[in-house]
Amino acid sequence: MSDIEIARAANKKPIQEVGAKLDIPSEHLLPYGHDKAKVSADYIASVRDRPDGHLILVTAVNPTPAGEGKTTTTVGLGDGLNAIGKRAAICIREASLGPCFGMKGGAAGGGYAQVVPMEDMNLHFTGDFHAITSAHNLLAAMLDNHIYWGNEQDIDIRRVALRRVMDMNDRALRQIVASLGGVANGFPREAGFDITVASEVMAILCLATDLADLQRRLGAIIVAYRRDRTPVYARDIKADGAMTVLLKDAMQPNLVQTLENNPAFVHGGPFANIAHGCNSVMATTTALKVADYVVTEAGFGADLGAEKFFDIKCRKAGLSPEAVVIVATVRAMKMNGGVAKDDLGTENVEAVRAGCDNLGRHIENVKQFGVPAVVAINHFVTDTDAEVQAVMDYVESHGSRAILCRHWAEGSAGITDLANHVVEMVEGGGAQFAPLYSDDMPLFEKIETVARRIYRADEVLADARIRDQLKQWEAQGYGDLPVCMAKTQYSFTTDPTRRGAPTGHSVPVREVRLSAGAGFVVVICGEIMTMPGLPKVPSAEAIGLNDAGEIEGLF
Amino acid sequence: MSDIEIARAANKKPIQEVGAKLDIPSEHLLPYGHDKAKVSADYIASVRDRPDGHLILVTAVNPTPAGEGKTTTTVGLGDGLNAIGKRAAICIREASLGPCFGMKGGAAGGGYAQVVPMEDMNLHFTGDFHAITSAHNLLAAMLDNHIYWGNEQDIDIRRVALRRVMDMNDRALRQIVASLGGVANGFPREAGFDITVASEVMAILCLATDLADLQRRLGAIIVAYRRDRTPVYARDIKADGAMTVLLKDAMQPNLVQTLENNPAFVHGGPFANIAHGCNSVMATTTALKVADYVVTEAGFGADLGAEKFFDIKCRKAGLSPEAVVIVATVRAMKMNGGVAKDDLGTENVEAVRAGCDNLGRHIENVKQFGVPAVVAINHFVTDTDAEVQAVMDYVESHGSRAILCRHWAEGSAGITDLANHVVEMVEGGGAQFAPLYSDDMPLFEKIETVARRIYRADEVLADARIRDQLKQWEAQGYGDLPVCMAKTQYSFTTDPTRRGAPTGHSVPVREVRLSAGAGFVVVICGEIMTMPGLPKVPSAEAIGLNDAGEIEGLF
């Protein structure tokens, strides 16, 4: 059966029953249909003083076209923990609408480790991304309106920083000239659209701790610069209040369920390059109050995703993760070992062994944050015993442990070994989490620290313009922000073709951007696409309703 | 108390209890929070063969800045019918998000005749407008993507008809040049955005009878013309299936409640100028299956709103309205009689009498459709008895009846006279509804018919280019479509300053547009703004959450 067929056959429970597993009263679940709900802000406030459960991060090796199954393993581990009698919940990100109509979508796991309702999660869901789009574009409209009606703030229209957003893959909107057509339409200027997940509003929603913090952060977005080069903030054009109102419902985390009817919080979805790539702080902190174990994931591989999870999300939200699961597959190891995608079906133990260096590097890196790690080998049907054993041997020789998991095919029954081991790790109490660098380290040193200790680069290359910009931000009081690295997810280096575990490379910084509302400095080390395009034959062409009224072609 | 204070003090019932008044089982109500729900498509299909209830239209005199209270009266009459023991529901339109952040919003009635939850209805509600925005912009992205990847359809990029949409007042997007920045971003071309309610997708959603009809209509949208001037349809670029999927949930009508806990369907909201300005056919036909009396309204005054309700919505959906309520106020009559807005507080019976000619014309017009009419005088606190009596006398001297209504101040108790009279009209069986013109009348004659019989113009002015275009569409098979007049709502003429009941004027047609998917020919007789701008001090600046977490400034 395909993922969608498995999802459709799911024996879903009413969302109130799923919430009851966490003792959330049904009046505090704001339903969206019968199988989705938002957890009310009032309820969240009422549990704020409870002790936290245990937080487990699922991350992965560098992604390859072979796939690694990070979300699938997150969902599987949540089900596995429930199966061994733990009160566990998962926290994952929401899917973006745009890419679903381009390439195949689907961000809800796979096989027998999925979150449902899958169709809704890949379409409008509970409207959070639409609310973010509206809030962002209201700010943009108010900005141009401010300029139109006299420009009291003396905004330099050549230095407008804010772009507009749309949850769509639409390359035609990347670069436009707006306000054409005469006096009534404003002052013509260059502008453009990003996809909604790239909005700073998205990053803010995912880092804000409550509505007051949300409004404060929204107000701190830099929208433009004045003729004297000083920044104009969203609060200067009085947009922060209305934006907060538009995001009031979206701030409440969404509750859905796994195929095994266990609770899943699905909330937020910022880009993993120009933002931090984790689900919302609101969802994670709420889950920690109502569950004993919370399994969450971060975007891309551990070099980007886990580092940002630790250095941005955990640092800002005061979270203390107690275990990390690094997902690897035999196929991904083979590709890291030099095998082409078409040859993945052939047994090749030597290539697996060679590729394991990538995995080993991620294990070492995670341990630098003071959190114990275990490797989950996400089993594929074509894996041979010898190949699996090669990964296990490698990991054990590096002082860690790898556990074979068959949750894709078997659900929770295939992942109880990992679940038991994770409980042991947590109960062992070995975690002593600390971010990689301190707040007060200068910004450029923060970049160097990540580049040297995580990417294992020899140096960071940045010209005077970039170093001066960083110093200027430090002088303006932004020096205590963490850095948000934007580089290729396919390699420890900035060259997407260099797999494995390279050393001795350089990390060239092309650009730095201040996300003053979200609270980080984006460090761009390569081409970053913030508005994707559709492929020649977009999947949208095949999407439609079948005779039974079911959605076809979405996955 | 202000409208918002009254709304906040509402004693709302769970939406399942509201649905139960119409015997809709709770499993067929898809909840959105505890006070909103969509009626499931399955349930709607299951009641399709039931007999219809009675349909009542609420329309009004030409709007003036004094306000007439059409939605308030629609809500009040629904409550009034329930109060006298009838099983009644109301059907009104959803509010657009954009204008709420510009001028004061609010499309949910007023005083003690409101629909709740008011905040939600003026913000994201159940996400229908966001779904329409997404579906429309997916079509636009697929169109530019088609051109980008080789333009198999040979689309002339100078003749792209489709614009993009956003639910925002953003004048900067009215006219843009898109696809700038080089080869990877497409072929530069002129483009622009309309507000979402102006989208043909909105008009289609409001006229479609089921999902199959929706997809057929979406496929028939003309998106561009080829180099040989033949039209390119949405189905030619294979967008209709995915658009239907995006609109699947939005097609299900929304159920909310009045302050008196009576059922209110709030669904769809097309422009009343370039579209037909009524709530959805799905909502109205569904309401007619589950209620004995259904009270609905149409946009603007009766010259535009009622005419389109009859000639477009009722014609297409096979509806037979049985009574019309024309809302008038003493203040609106005074303004039609030449009084300035600042002088409305002073008694002026003479001006009221003079202004009643506007009302009289609307009464005559409505009767041309074969439906009996009654006038509802929506009482304002400043109205004097003599002024009210002047309206009553005028209406009676014109062979009709006017009833004073105090629903704004008193709720259903203030409108039982009107409710009883409406029941008498319906039970009297006097209605013999027929549209103003037949399907087979040539398009230009249809325009002339509306202009002569409704606007009382002497002639329609249109140059050869427009007449030729209409003939061309007739040759292409579009001759049986109704016309959708787009002119000022403030006058029977095309001059917004000419109040009262003018005769002898001309109606100049500036442009005609084919909405092939919605199924009408738009006839533009004046400046039509399809993307509003924000005022100098937009209401967004004052919108925010107060210390109690309540929304301030939205209304």
Side-chain angles (χ1 to χ4, degrees), chain B residues 327-462:
Chain B
V327 182
T329 59
V330 163
R331 290 156 61 89
M333 293 302 93
K334 270 188 202 170
M335 286 198 88
N336 266 293
V339 174
K341 199 181 174 190
D342 290 342
D343 301 330
L344 287 175
T346 317
E347 183 180 75
N348 190 337
V349 176
E350 204 50 47
V352 170
R353 244 178 235 133
C356 278
D357 283 346
N358 184 271
L359 173 59
R361 171 76 59 81
H362 288 296
I363 298 171
E364 287 171 24
N365 282 350
V366 164
K367 288 181 177 168
Q368 292 189 68
F369 293 90
V371 188
V374 61
V375 172
I377 304 174
N378 182 17
H379 186 257
F380 272 62
V381 283
T382 55
D383 298 351
T384 69
D385 290 349
E387 289 174 328
V388 170
Q389 194 59 47
V391 180
M392 290 194 163
D393 291 348
Y394 178 93
V395 174
E396 275 184 37
S397 73
H398 280 66
S400 200
R401 186 156 164 209
I403 296 173
L404 186 65
C405 302
R406 298 178 185 270
H407 47 288
W408 186 87
E410 300 171 12
S412 62
I415 199 170
T416 47
D417 287 352
L418 180 69
N420 279 311
H421 187 74
V422 163
V423 171
E424 276 171 37
M425 287 165 77
V426 165
E427 290 183 348
Q432 286 197 302
F433 169 69
L436 198 66
Y437 51 81
S438 64
D439 287 352
D440 57 7
M441 184 184 279
L443 291 170
F444 193 75
E445 277 182 45
K446 289 174 181 164
I447 301 170
E448 286 185 317
T449 301
V450 175
R452 291 206 169 112
R453 292 182 55 190
I454 303 294
Y455 310 156
R456 312 296 171 96
D458 277 357
E459 55 179 353
V460 174
L461 305 175

Side-chain angles (χ1 to χ4, degrees), chain A residues 26-27 29-34 97 101 120 123-124 130-131 134 137-138 141-142 144-145 148-149 164 166 168-181 184-186 193 211 237-238 241-242 244-246 248-249 534-536 538 540-541 543-545 549 551, chain B residues 26-27 29-34 97 101 120 123-124 130-131 134 137-138 141-142 144-145 148-149 164 166 168-181 184-186 193 211 237-238 241-242 244-246 248-249 534-536 538 540-541 543-545 549 551:
Chain A
S26 66
E27 67 266 27
L29 290 174
L30 305 168
Y32 285 68
H34 301 300
L97 193 58
F101 295 103
D120 292 1
L123 291 169
H124 308 292
H130 291 317
S134 290
N137 289 337
L138 173 64
M142 289 178 77
D144 274 308
N145 194 58
Y148 178 83
W149 286 106
R164 285 173 174 80
M166 188 184 279
M168 192 62 64
N169 288 14
D170 192 348
R171 68 172 66 74
L173 295 178
R174 283 176 191 152
Q175 204 168 322
I176 68 173
V177 172
S179 292
L180 296 172
N185 298 347
F193 282 72
L211 287 169
I237 55 167
K238 303 189 181 108
T244 304
V245 165
L246 279 168
K248 184 173 181 269
D249 290 341
L534 292 169
K536 182 161 187 182
E541 291 187 5
I543 292 173
L545 297 176
I551 297 168
Chain B
S26 67
E27 68 265 28
L29 290 175
L30 305 169
Y32 284 68
H34 301 299
L97 193 56
F101 296 103
D120 292 0
L123 290 170
H124 308 292
H130 291 316
S134 290
N137 290 338
L138 173 64
M142 289 178 77
D144 274 306
N145 194 57
Y148 178 84
W149 286 106
R164 286 172 174 80
M166 188 183 279
M168 192 62 64
N169 288 15
D170 192 347
R171 68 171 67 74
L173 295 178
R174 282 176 191 152
Q175 204 167 321
I176 67 172
V177 172
S179 293
L180 296 172
N185 297 349
F193 283 71
L211 286 170
I237 55 167
K238 302 187 181 115
T244 304
V245 165
L246 279 168
K248 183 173 181 269
D249 290 342
L534 292 170
K536 182 162 188 181
E541 291 187 5
I543 292 174
L545 297 177
I551 297 168

Side-chain angles (χ1 to χ4, degrees), chain A residues 31 39 93 141 191 194 212 231 246 383 398 428:
Chain A
V39 181
R93 288 164 290 169
D194 294 328
L246 279 168
D383 298 351
H398 280 67

Side-chain angles (χ1 to χ4, degrees), chain A residues 50-55 285 287-294 320 322:
Chain A
R50 287 191 192 171
D52 280 338
H54 305 293
L55 180 59
T285 53
L288 286 167
K289 298 300 182 189
V290 294
D292 296 326
Y293 286 81
V294 174
S320 289
E322 293 176 66

